[in-house]
């Protein structure tokens, strides 16, 4: 399980690093910030979709292991099965983090920034650790 845990932690840190790279590229004017700032209709549609995705996907990702189907698959499965479900959860949150970070700079709208911060904080809440793994797989800490 240590190999999977290392990979899952790498996913979290890679997502944060890519988001920081986006920030650096826009803040140093390598990329043009506010390229879509004047298009109010597009901004409204994209912001509405981003907010709806955040409202739907963040609770789903954070509570993924409370779903009976997932819980049964993980508790009866292998560490590889667990890793696949955690990867799904982290993939959802990473997508939200990166998409909202990019939209923050493209539209120059603080709402996207807030959504990106929320996604990043949620990634910290579900950060993969051995204790979380043992708890979600229903094992004792010394079994894993």
């Amino acid at each position: 399980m240590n190999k999977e845990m290392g990979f899952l932690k790498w996913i979290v840190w890679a997502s944060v690093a890519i988001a920081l790279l986006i920030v650096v590229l826009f803040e140093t004017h390598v990329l043009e910030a506010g390229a879509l700032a004047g298009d109010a209709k597009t901004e409204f549609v994209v912001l509405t979709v981003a907010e709806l995705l955040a409202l739907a996907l963040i609770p789903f990702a954070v509570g993924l292991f409370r779903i009976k189907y997932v819980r049964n698959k993980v508790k009866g499965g292998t560490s590889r099965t667990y890793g696949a479900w955690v990867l799904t959860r982290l993939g959802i949150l990473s997508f939200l983090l990166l998409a909202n970070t990019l939209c923050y700079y493209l539209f120059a709208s603080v709402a996207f920034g807030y959504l990106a911060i929320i996604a990043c904080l949620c990634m910290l809440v579900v950060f993969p650790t051995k204790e979380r793994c043992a708890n979600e797989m229903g094992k004792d800490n010394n079994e894993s």
Side-chain angles (χ1 to χ4, degrees):
M1 188 65 205
N2 287 335
K3 186 185 252 187
E4 288 93 355
M5 294 303 293
F7 176 72
L8 295 171
K9 288 179 183 180
W10 181 85
I11 293 292
V12 172
W13 293 119
S15 299
V16 172
I18 292 169
L20 288 174
L21 178 64
I22 292 170
V23 170
V24 168
L25 289 175
F26 278 104
E27 291 294 334
T28 58
H29 305 291
V30 172
L31 296 175
E32 181 184 350
L36 301 173
D39 192 356
K41 289 181 183 179
T42 304
E43 180 180 346
F44 174 76
V45 170
V46 173
L47 182 58
T48 301
V49 169
E51 288 172 343
L52 290 175
L53 283 174
L55 283 171
L57 294 179
I58 288 175
F60 173 75
V62 171
L64 185 64
F65 288 87
R66 291 187 179 152
I67 298 171
K68 189 175 184 178
Y69 174 79
V70 176
R71 189 174 52 237
N72 289 340
K73 287 285 187 183
V74 168
K75 287 194 178 185
T78 63
S79 62
R80 185 170 222 154
T81 304
Y82 174 75
W85 284 106
V86 174
L87 186 60
T88 301
R89 172 167 54 191
L90 293 177
I92 291 168
L93 294 173
S94 295
F95 166 74
L96 291 172
L97 170 65
L98 297 174
N100 284 306
T101 302
L102 187 60
C103 286
Y104 170 75
Y105 283 102
L106 291 177
F107 290 101
S109 175
V110 72
F112 291 110
Y114 291 139
L115 291 172
I117 291 169
I118 291 168
C120 189
L121 290 173
C122 289
M123 288 180 78
L124 293 176
V125 169
V126 298
F127 189 81
T129 62
K130 286 184 181 183
E131 293 81 18
R132 177 176 300 281
C133 171
N135 185 31
E136 290 174 340
M137 289 185 74
K139 296 181 179 179
D140 292 331
N141 284 340
N142 53 7
E143 284 184 43
S144 52

